[in-house]
Coordinates of all heavy atoms in Angstrom, one line a residue:
M1 N 0.8 -1.2 0.0 CA 0.0 0.0 0.0 C 0.9 1.3 0.0 O 0.6 2.2 -0.7 CB -0.9 0.0 1.2 CG -1.9 1.0 1.2 SD -3.1 0.7 -0.1 CE -4.3 1.9 0.3
E2 N 2.0 1.2 0.7 CA 2.9 2.4 0.8 C 3.5 2.6 -0.6 O 3.6 3.8 -1.0 CB 3.9 2.1 1.8 CG 4.9 3.2 2.1 CD 5.9 2.9 3.2 OE1 5.7 2.0 3.9 OE2 6.9 3.6 3.2
F3 N 3.8 1.6 -1.3 CA 4.4 1.7 -2.7 C 3.4 2.4 -3.6 O 3.8 3.3 -4.4 CB 4.7 0.3 -3.2 CG 5.4 0.3 -4.5 CD1 6.7 0.9 -4.7 CD2 4.7 -0.2 -5.6 CE1 7.3 0.9 -5.9 CE2 5.3 -0.1 -6.9 CZ 6.6 0.4 -7.0
I4 N 2.1 2.1 -3.5 CA 1.1 2.7 -4.3 C 1.0 4.2 -4.0 O 0.8 5.0 -4.9 CB -0.3 2.0 -4.1 CG1 -0.2 0.6 -4.7 CG2 -1.4 2.8 -4.8 CD1 -1.4 -0.3 -4.4
V5 N 1.1 4.5 -2.7 CA 1.0 6.0 -2.3 C 2.2 6.7 -2.9 O 2.1 7.8 -3.4 CB 1.0 6.1 -0.8 CG1 1.2 7.5 -0.3 CG2 -0.3 5.5 -0.2
Y6 N 3.4 6.1 -2.9 CA 4.6 6.7 -3.5 C 4.4 7.0 -5.0 O 4.8 8.0 -5.5 CB 5.8 5.9 -3.2 CG 6.4 6.0 -1.8 CD1 6.9 4.8 -1.2 CD2 6.4 7.2 -1.1 CE1 7.3 4.9 0.1 CE2 6.8 7.2 0.2 CZ 7.3 6.1 0.8 OH 7.8 6.1 2.1
I7 N 3.8 6.0 -5.6 CA 3.6 6.2 -7.1 C 2.6 7.3 -7.3 O 2.8 8.1 -8.2 CB 3.1 4.8 -7.7 CG1 4.2 3.8 -7.7 CG2 2.5 5.1 -9.1 CD1 3.7 2.4 -8.2
L8 N 1.6 7.4 -6.5 CA 0.6 8.5 -6.7 C 1.2 9.8 -6.4 O 1.0 10.8 -7.2 CB -0.6 8.2 -5.8 CG -1.5 7.1 -6.2 CD1 -2.6 6.9 -5.1 CD2 -2.2 7.4 -7.5
V9 N 2.1 9.9 -5.4 CA 2.7 11.2 -5.1 C 3.6 11.6 -6.2 O 3.6 12.8 -6.7 CB 3.5 11.1 -3.7 CG1 4.4 12.3 -3.6 CG2 2.5 11.0 -2.6
V10 N 4.4 10.7 -6.8 CA 5.3 11.0 -7.9 C 4.5 11.4 -9.1 O 4.8 12.4 -9.8 CB 6.2 9.8 -8.2 CG1 6.9 10.0 -9.5 CG2 7.2 9.6 -7.1
W11 N 3.4 10.7 -9.3 CA 2.5 11.1 -10.5 C 1.9 12.5 -10.3 O 1.9 13.3 -11.3 CB 1.4 10.0 -10.6 CG 0.5 10.2 -11.7 CD1 0.8 10.7 -13.0 CD2 -0.9 9.9 -11.8 NE1 -0.3 10.7 -13.8 CE2 -1.3 10.2 -13.1 CE3 -1.8 9.3 -10.9 CZ2 -2.7 10.0 -13.5 CZ3 -3.1 9.1 -11.3 CH2 -3.5 9.4 -12.6
I12 N 1.5 12.8 -9.1 CA 1.0 14.2 -8.9 C 2.1 15.2 -9.1 O 1.8 16.3 -9.7 CB 0.3 14.3 -7.5 CG1 -0.9 13.4 -7.5 CG2 0.1 15.7 -7.1 CD1 -1.5 13.2 -6.1
V13 N 3.2 15.0 -8.5 CA 4.3 16.0 -8.6 C 4.8 16.2 -10.1 O 4.9 17.3 -10.6 CB 5.5 15.6 -7.8 CG1 6.8 16.4 -8.0 CG2 5.1 15.7 -6.3
V14 N 4.9 15.1 -10.8 CA 5.3 15.2 -12.2 C 4.2 15.9 -13.0 O 4.5 16.7 -13.9 CB 5.6 13.7 -12.8 CG1 5.7 13.8 -14.3 CG2 6.8 13.2 -12.2
G15 N 2.9 15.6 -12.8 CA 1.9 16.3 -13.4 C 1.9 17.8 -13.1 O 1.7 18.6 -14.0
W16 N 2.2 18.2 -11.9 CA 2.2 19.6 -11.5 C 3.4 20.3 -12.2 O 3.3 21.4 -12.7 CB 2.4 19.7 -10.0 CG 2.5 21.1 -9.5 CD1 1.4 22.0 -9.4 CD2 3.7 21.8 -9.2 NE1 1.9 23.2 -8.9 CE2 3.3 23.1 -8.8 CE3 5.0 21.4 -9.1 CZ2 4.2 24.0 -8.4 CZ3 5.9 22.4 -8.7 CH2 5.5 23.6 -8.3
I17 N 4.6 19.6 -12.3 CA 5.7 20.2 -12.9 C 5.5 20.3 -14.4 O 5.8 21.4 -15.0 CB 7.0 19.3 -12.7 CG1 7.4 19.5 -11.2 CG2 8.1 19.7 -13.6 CD1 8.5 18.5 -10.8
R18 N 4.8 19.3 -15.0 CA 4.5 19.4 -16.5 C 3.6 20.6 -16.7 O 3.7 21.3 -17.7 CB 3.8 18.2 -17.0 CG 4.8 17.1 -17.3 CD 4.1 15.9 -17.9 NE 3.4 16.3 -19.1 CZ 2.3 15.8 -19.5 NH1 1.7 14.9 -18.8 NH2 1.7 16.2 -20.6
Q19 N 2.6 20.8 -15.9 CA 1.7 21.9 -16.0 C 2.3 23.3 -15.9 O 2.1 24.2 -16.6 CB 0.5 21.8 -15.0 CG -0.6 22.8 -15.2 CD -1.7 22.6 -14.2 OE1 -1.5 21.9 -13.2 NE2 -2.8 23.3 -14.4
K20 N 3.2 23.4 -14.8 CA 3.9 24.7 -14.6 C 4.9 25.0 -15.7 O 5.0 26.2 -16.1 CB 4.6 24.6 -13.3 CG 3.7 24.7 -12.1 CD 3.0 26.0 -12.0 CE 2.2 26.1 -10.8 NZ 1.4 27.4 -10.8
L21 N 5.6 24.0 -16.2 CA 6.6 24.3 -17.2 C 6.0 24.2 -18.6 O 6.7 24.4 -19.6 CB 7.7 23.3 -17.1 CG 8.5 23.4 -15.8 CD1 9.6 22.4 -15.7 CD2 9.1 24.8 -15.7
N22 N 4.7 23.8 -18.7 CA 4.0 23.6 -20.0 C 4.8 22.7 -20.9 O 5.1 23.0 -22.1 CB 3.8 25.0 -20.7 CG 2.8 24.9 -21.8 OD1 2.0 24.0 -21.9 ND2 2.8 26.0 -22.6
L23 N 5.1 21.5 -20.4 CA 5.9 20.5 -21.2 C 5.0 19.5 -21.8 O 4.0 19.1 -21.3 CB 6.9 19.8 -20.2 CG 8.0 20.6 -19.6 CD1 8.8 19.8 -18.6 CD2 8.9 21.2 -20.6
S24 N 5.4 19.0 -23.0 CA 4.7 17.9 -23.6 C 5.2 16.6 -23.0 O 6.1 16.6 -22.1 CB 5.0 17.9 -25.1 OG 6.4 17.6 -25.3
V25 N 4.6 15.5 -23.4 CA 5.0 14.2 -22.8 C 6.4 13.9 -23.2 O 7.2 13.4 -22.4 CB 4.0 13.1 -23.3 CG1 4.4 11.8 -22.8 CG2 2.6 13.4 -22.8
E26 N 6.8 14.2 -24.4 CA 8.1 13.9 -24.9 C 9.2 14.7 -24.1 O 10.2 14.2 -23.7 CB 8.3 14.2 -26.4 CG 7.5 13.2 -27.3 CD 6.0 13.6 -27.4 OE1 5.7 14.8 -27.1 OE2 5.2 12.8 -27.8
D27 N 8.9 16.0 -23.9 CA 9.8 16.8 -23.1 C 9.9 16.3 -21.7 O 11.0 16.3 -21.1 CB 9.3 18.3 -23.1 CG 9.4 18.9 -24.5 OD1 10.2 18.4 -25.3 OD2 8.7 19.9 -24.7
T28 N 8.8 15.9 -21.1 CA 8.8 15.3 -19.7 C 9.7 14.1 -19.7 O 10.5 13.9 -18.8 CB 7.4 15.0 -19.3 OG1 6.6 16.2 -19.4 CG2 7.4 14.5 -17.8
F29 N 9.6 13.2 -20.7 CA 10.4 12.0 -20.7 C 11.9 12.4 -20.9 O 12.7 11.7 -20.2 CB 9.9 11.1 -21.9 CG 10.7 9.8 -22.0 CD1 10.5 8.8 -21.1 CD2 11.7 9.7 -22.9 CE1 11.2 7.6 -21.1 CE2 12.5 8.5 -23.0 CZ 12.2 7.5 -22.1
D30 N 12.2 13.4 -21.7 CA 13.6 13.8 -21.9 C 14.1 14.3 -20.6 O 15.3 14.0 -20.2 CB 13.7 14.8 -23.0 CG 13.4 14.3 -24.3 OD1 13.5 13.0 -24.5 OD2 13.2 15.1 -25.3
C31 N 13.4 15.1 -19.8 CA 13.8 15.6 -18.5 C 14.0 14.5 -17.5 O 15.0 14.5 -16.8 CB 12.8 16.6 -18.0 SG 12.7 18.2 -18.9
A32 N 13.1 13.6 -17.5 CA 13.3 12.4 -16.6 C 14.5 11.6 -17.0 O 15.2 11.1 -16.1 CB 12.0 11.6 -16.6
S33 N 14.8 11.4 -18.3 CA 15.9 10.7 -18.8 C 17.2 11.3 -18.3 O 18.1 10.7 -17.9 CB 15.8 10.6 -20.3 OG 16.9 9.9 -20.8
V34 N 17.3 12.7 -18.5 CA 18.5 13.4 -18.0 C 18.7 13.3 -16.5 O 19.8 13.0 -16.0 CB 18.4 14.8 -18.5 CG1 19.6 15.6 -17.9 CG2 18.5 14.9 -20.0
G35 N 17.6 13.4 -15.8 CA 17.7 13.3 -14.3 C 18.1 11.9 -13.9 O 19.0 11.8 -13.0
C36 N 17.6 10.9 -14.4 CA 18.0 9.5 -14.1 C 19.4 9.2 -14.5 O 20.2 8.6 -13.8 CB 17.0 8.5 -14.7 SG 15.4 8.5 -14.0
G37 N 19.8 9.7 -15.7 CA 21.1 9.6 -16.1 C 22.1 10.2 -15.2 O 23.2 9.7 -14.9
L38 N 21.8 11.4 -14.8 CA 22.7 12.1 -13.9 C 22.8 11.4 -12.5 O 23.9 11.3 -12.0 CB 22.2 13.6 -13.6 CG 23.0 14.5 -12.7 CD1 24.4 14.7 -13.4 CD2 22.3 15.8 -12.5
F39 N 21.7 10.9 -12.0 CA 21.7 10.1 -10.8 C 22.6 8.9 -11.0 O 23.4 8.5 -10.1 CB 20.3 9.7 -10.4 CG 20.2 8.8 -9.2 CD1 20.4 9.3 -8.0 CD2 20.0 7.4 -9.4 CE1 20.3 8.5 -6.9 CE2 20.0 6.6 -8.3 CZ 20.1 7.1 -7.0
L40 N 22.5 8.2 -12.1 CA 23.3 7.0 -12.3 C 24.8 7.3 -12.5 O 25.7 6.6 -11.9 CB 22.9 6.2 -13.6 CG 21.6 5.4 -13.5 CD1 21.2 4.9 -14.9 CD2 21.9 4.2 -12.6
V41 N 25.1 8.4 -13.2 CA 26.5 8.8 -13.4 C 27.2 9.1 -12.1 O 28.2 8.6 -11.7 CB 26.6 9.9 -14.4 CG1 28.0 10.5 -14.4 CG2 26.3 9.5 -15.8
V42 N 26.6 10.0 -11.3 CA 27.2 10.4 -10.0 C 27.2 9.3 -9.0 O 28.3 9.0 -8.4 CB 26.4 11.6 -9.5 CG1 26.9 12.0 -8.1 CG2 26.6 12.8 -10.4
G43 N 26.1 8.6 -8.8 CA 26.0 7.6 -7.8 C 26.8 6.4 -8.1 O 27.6 5.9 -7.2
M44 N 26.8 5.9 -9.3 CA 27.5 4.7 -9.6 C 29.0 4.9 -9.8 O 29.8 4.0 -9.4 CB 27.0 4.0 -10.9 CG 25.6 3.5 -10.8 SD 25.6 2.2 -9.5 CE 23.9 2.0 -9.3
T45 N 29.4 6.1 -10.2 CA 30.8 6.4 -10.3 C 31.4 6.5 -8.9 O 32.5 5.9 -8.6 CB 31.1 7.7 -11.1 OG1 30.5 7.5 -12.4 CG2 32.6 8.0 -11.2
A46 N 30.7 7.2 -8.0 CA 31.2 7.3 -6.6 C 31.3 6.0 -5.9 O 32.3 5.7 -5.2 CB 30.3 8.3 -5.8
T47 N 30.2 5.2 -6.1 CA 30.2 3.9 -5.5 C 31.3 3.0 -6.1 O 32.0 2.2 -5.3 CB 28.8 3.2 -5.6 OG1 27.8 4.1 -5.1 CG2 28.8 1.9 -4.9
G48 N 31.5 3.0 -7.4 CA 32.5 2.2 -8.0 C 33.9 2.6 -7.5 O 34.8 1.7 -7.3
I49 N 34.2 3.9 -7.3 CA 35.5 4.3 -6.8 C 35.7 3.8 -5.4 O 36.8 3.3 -5.1 CB 35.6 5.8 -7.0 CG1 35.7 6.2 -8.4 CG2 36.8 6.3 -6.2 CD1 35.6 7.7 -8.7
V50 N 34.7 3.9 -4.6 CA 34.8 3.5 -3.2 C 35.0 2.0 -3.1 O 35.9 1.5 -2.4 CB 33.6 3.9 -2.4 CG1 33.6 3.2 -1.0 CG2 33.6 5.4 -2.2
M51 N 34.3 1.2 -3.9 CA 34.4 -0.2 -3.9 C 35.6 -0.7 -4.6 O 36.0 -1.9 -4.3 CB 33.1 -0.8 -4.5 CG 31.9 -0.4 -3.7 SD 30.5 -1.5 -3.8 CE 31.1 -3.1 -3.3
W52 N 36.3 0.1 -5.4 CA 37.5 -0.4 -6.1 C 38.6 -0.7 -5.1 O 39.4 -1.6 -5.3 CB 37.9 0.7 -7.1 CG 39.0 0.3 -8.0 CD1 40.4 0.5 -7.8 CD2 38.9 -0.3 -9.2 NE1 41.1 0.0 -8.8 CE2 40.2 -0.5 -9.7 CE3 37.8 -0.8 -10.0 CZ2 40.5 -1.1 -10.9 CZ3 38.1 -1.4 -11.2 CH2 39.4 -1.6 -11.7
D53 N 38.6 0.1 -4.0 CA 39.7 -0.1 -3.0 C 39.3 -0.9 -1.9 O 40.0 -1.1 -0.9 CB 40.2 1.3 -2.5 CG 40.9 2.1 -3.5 OD1 41.6 1.4 -4.4 OD2 40.9 3.3 -3.5
T54 N 38.1 -1.5 -1.9 CA 37.6 -2.4 -0.8 C 38.3 -3.7 -0.9 O 38.2 -4.4 -1.9 CB 36.1 -2.5 -0.9 OG1 35.5 -1.3 -0.9 CG2 35.6 -3.4 0.2
P55 N 39.0 -4.1 0.1 CA 39.7 -5.4 0.1 C 38.7 -6.5 0.1 O 37.6 -6.5 0.7 CB 40.5 -5.4 1.3 CG 39.9 -4.4 2.2 CD 39.2 -3.4 1.4
G56 N 39.0 -7.6 -0.6 CA 38.1 -8.8 -0.6 C 37.2 -8.8 -1.8 O 36.5 -9.8 -2.0
L57 N 37.1 -7.8 -2.5 CA 36.2 -7.8 -3.7 C 37.0 -7.9 -5.0 O 38.1 -7.3 -5.1 CB 35.4 -6.5 -3.8 CG 34.3 -6.3 -2.7 CD1 33.6 -4.9 -2.9 CD2 33.2 -7.3 -2.8
E58 N 36.5 -8.6 -5.9 CA 37.1 -8.7 -7.2 C 37.0 -7.4 -8.0 O 35.9 -6.8 -7.9 CB 36.6 -9.9 -8.0 CG 36.8 -11.2 -7.3 CD 36.3 -12.4 -8.1 OE1 36.0 -12.2 -9.3 OE2 36.1 -13.5 -7.6
R59 N 37.9 -7.1 -8.8 CA 37.9 -5.9 -9.6 C 36.7 -6.0 -10.7 O 36.1 -5.0 -11.0 CB 39.2 -5.6 -10.3 CG 40.3 -5.4 -9.4 CD 40.3 -4.0 -8.9 NE 41.2 -3.8 -7.8 CZ 42.2 -2.9 -7.8 NH1 42.4 -2.2 -8.8 NH2 43.0 -2.8 -6.8
G60 N 36.4 -7.2 -11.1 CA 35.4 -7.4 -12.1 C 34.0 -7.0 -11.6 O 33.1 -6.5 -12.3
F61 N 33.8 -7.2 -10.3 CA 32.5 -6.8 -9.7 C 32.3 -5.3 -9.7 O 31.2 -4.8 -10.0 CB 32.5 -7.3 -8.2 CG 31.3 -6.9 -7.4 CD1 30.0 -7.4 -7.7 CD2 31.4 -5.9 -6.5 CE1 28.9 -7.0 -7.0 CE2 30.3 -5.5 -5.8 CZ 29.1 -6.0 -6.0
T62 N 33.4 -4.6 -9.4 CA 33.3 -3.1 -9.4 C 33.1 -2.5 -10.8 O 32.6 -1.4 -10.9 CB 34.5 -2.5 -8.7 OG1 35.7 -2.9 -9.3 CG2 34.5 -2.9 -7.2
L63 N 33.5 -3.2 -11.8 CA 33.3 -2.7 -13.2 C 31.9 -2.6 -13.5 O 31.5 -1.7 -14.3 CB 34.0 -3.7 -14.2 CG 35.5 -3.6 -14.2 CD1 36.1 -4.6 -15.2 CD2 36.0 -2.2 -14.5
Y64 N 31.0 -3.4 -12.9 CA 29.6 -3.2 -13.2 C 29.0 -1.8 -12.8 O 28.2 -1.3 -13.4 CB 28.7 -4.3 -12.4 CG 28.9 -5.7 -13.0 CD1 29.5 -6.7 -12.3 CD2 28.4 -5.9 -14.3 CE1 29.6 -7.9 -12.9 CE2 28.5 -7.2 -14.8 CZ 29.1 -8.2 -14.1 OH 29.3 -9.4 -14.7
F65 N 29.6 -1.2 -11.7 CA 29.2 0.1 -11.3 C 29.6 1.1 -12.4 O 28.8 2.0 -12.7 CB 29.9 0.5 -10.0 CG 29.3 -0.3 -8.9 CD1 30.0 -1.3 -8.3 CD2 28.1 0.1 -8.3 CE1 29.5 -2.0 -7.2 CE2 27.6 -0.6 -7.2 CZ 28.3 -1.7 -6.7
F66 N 30.7 0.9 -13.1 CA 31.1 1.8 -14.1 C 30.3 1.6 -15.4 O 30.0 2.5 -16.2 CB 32.6 1.7 -14.4 CG 33.4 2.1 -13.2 CD1 34.2 1.2 -12.5 CD2 33.4 3.5 -12.8 CE1 34.9 1.6 -11.4 CE2 34.2 3.9 -11.7 CZ 34.9 2.9 -11.0
L67 N 29.8 0.4 -15.6 CA 28.9 0.1 -16.7 C 27.6 0.8 -16.5 O 27.0 1.4 -17.5 CB 28.7 -1.4 -16.9 CG 29.9 -2.2 -17.4 CD1 29.6 -3.7 -17.5 CD2 30.3 -1.7 -18.8
W68 N 27.1 0.8 -15.3 CA 25.8 1.5 -15.0 C 26.0 3.0 -15.2 O 25.1 3.7 -15.6 CB 25.3 1.2 -13.6 CG 24.6 -0.1 -13.5 CD1 25.1 -1.3 -13.0 CD2 23.3 -0.4 -14.0 NE1 24.1 -2.3 -13.2 CE2 23.0 -1.7 -13.7 CE3 22.3 0.4 -14.6 CZ2 21.8 -2.3 -14.1 CZ3 21.1 -0.2 -14.9 CH2 20.9 -1.5 -14.7
A69 N 27.2 3.5 -14.8 CA 27.5 4.9 -15.0 C 27.5 5.3 -16.5 O 27.0 6.3 -16.9 CB 28.8 5.3 -14.4
A70 N 28.1 4.4 -17.3 CA 28.0 4.6 -18.8 C 26.6 4.6 -19.3 O 26.3 5.4 -20.2 CB 28.8 3.5 -19.5
L71 N 25.7 3.7 -18.8 CA 24.3 3.8 -19.1 C 23.7 5.1 -18.8 O 22.9 5.7 -19.5 CB 23.6 2.7 -18.4 CG 22.0 2.7 -18.7 CD1 21.7 2.4 -20.1 CD2 21.4 1.7 -17.7
G72 N 24.1 5.7 -17.7 CA 23.6 7.0 -17.3 C 24.1 8.1 -18.3 O 23.3 9.0 -18.6
V73 N 25.3 8.0 -18.8 CA 25.8 8.9 -19.8 C 24.9 8.8 -21.1 O 24.5 9.8 -21.7 CB 27.3 8.7 -20.1 CG1 27.7 9.5 -21.3 CG2 28.1 9.1 -18.9
V74 N 24.6 7.6 -21.5 CA 23.8 7.3 -22.6 C 22.4 7.9 -22.4 O 21.9 8.6 -23.4 CB 23.7 5.8 -22.9 CG1 22.7 5.5 -24.0 CG2 25.0 5.3 -23.4
L75 N 21.8 7.8 -21.3 CA 20.5 8.4 -21.0 C 20.6 9.9 -21.1 O 19.6 10.5 -21.6 CB 20.0 7.9 -19.6 CG 19.4 6.5 -19.5 CD1 19.1 6.2 -18.1 CD2 18.2 6.4 -20.4
M76 N 21.6 10.5 -20.5 CA 21.7 11.9 -20.6 C 21.9 12.4 -22.0 O 21.2 13.4 -22.4 CB 22.9 12.4 -19.7 CG 22.7 12.2 -18.2 SD 24.1 12.6 -17.2 CE 24.3 14.4 -17.6
V77 N 22.7 11.8 -22.8 CA 22.9 12.2 -24.2 C 21.6 12.0 -25.0 O 21.2 12.9 -25.8 CB 24.1 11.4 -24.8 CG1 24.1 11.6 -26.3 CG2 25.4 11.8 -24.2
K78 N 20.9 10.9 -24.7 CA 19.6 10.7 -25.5 C 18.6 11.8 -25.1 O 17.8 12.2 -25.9 CB 19.1 9.3 -25.2 CG 17.9 8.9 -26.0 CD 17.6 7.5 -25.7 CE 16.4 7.1 -26.5 NZ 16.6 6.9 -27.9
G79 N 18.6 12.2 -23.8 CA 17.6 13.2 -23.4 C 17.9 14.6 -23.9 O 17.0 15.4 -24.1
V80 N 19.2 14.9 -24.1 CA 19.6 16.2 -24.5 C 19.8 16.3 -26.0 O 19.8 17.4 -26.6 CB 20.9 16.6 -23.8 CG1 21.4 18.0 -24.2 CG2 20.7 16.6 -22.3
R81 N 19.8 15.2 -26.7 CA 20.2 15.2 -28.2 C 19.3 16.1 -29.0 O 19.8 16.9 -29.9 CB 20.1 13.8 -28.7 CG 20.4 13.8 -30.2 CD 20.6 12.4 -30.6 NE 22.1 12.1 -30.4 CZ 22.7 11.0 -30.8 NH1 22.0 10.1 -31.4 NH2 23.9 10.8 -30.6
G82 N 18.0 16.1 -28.8 CA 17.1 16.9 -29.7 C 17.0 18.4 -29.4 O 16.3 19.1 -30.0
R83 N 17.8 18.9 -28.4 CA 17.6 20.3 -28.0 C 18.5 21.2 -28.8 O 19.6 21.3 -29.0 CB 17.9 20.4 -26.5 CG 17.1 19.4 -25.7 CD 15.8 20.0 -25.4 NE 14.9 18.9 -25.1 CZ 13.6 18.8 -25.5 NH1 13.1 19.7 -26.2 NH2 12.9 17.8 -25.1

């Protein structure tokens, strides 16, 4: 039930932002894509750097964090490309 409430709150906030900024659905998706991409780039790069020096972990495991960061870059480029 709590998950459904979170979804509704996010839906209301996104609808309000779209209305205030007068954005189309495509523009809203591009903004969300850039935001998610930025979150992935910053979060996964920082986590990958911290885990790189953690003893007991294989280096191959930490490479997955950098792959997720690369996906974030792709999302950001895709969101900004048409501007």
Side-chain angles (χ1 to χ4, degrees):
M1 189 68 169
E2 186 178 341
F3 183 69
I4 294 172
V5 171
Y6 286 140
I7 290 174
L8 288 175
V9 168
V10 168
W11 183 32
I12 290 169
V13 169
V14 168
W16 179 79
I17 290 172
R18 279 188 55 217
Q19 184 181 14
K20 287 293 183 186
L21 296 177
N22 198 14
L23 295 175
S24 66
V25 174
E26 292 83 15
D27 292 338
T28 304
F29 181 76
D30 290 342
C31 289
S33 178
V34 171
C36 290
L38 183 63
F39 176 76
L40 281 173
V41 168
V42 172
M44 292 300 168
T45 302
T47 306
I49 290 171
V50 168
M51 298 206 54
W52 189 267
D53 289 332
T54 303
L57 291 177
E58 296 180 17
R59 297 279 169 122
F61 173 72
T62 58
L63 287 179
Y64 287 114
F65 290 100
F66 296 112
L67 291 176
W68 280 104
L71 174 69
V73 171
V74 170
L75 283 173
M76 290 175 62
V77 168
K78 187 171 177 77
V80 177
R81 178 169 271 185
R83 307 278 160 218

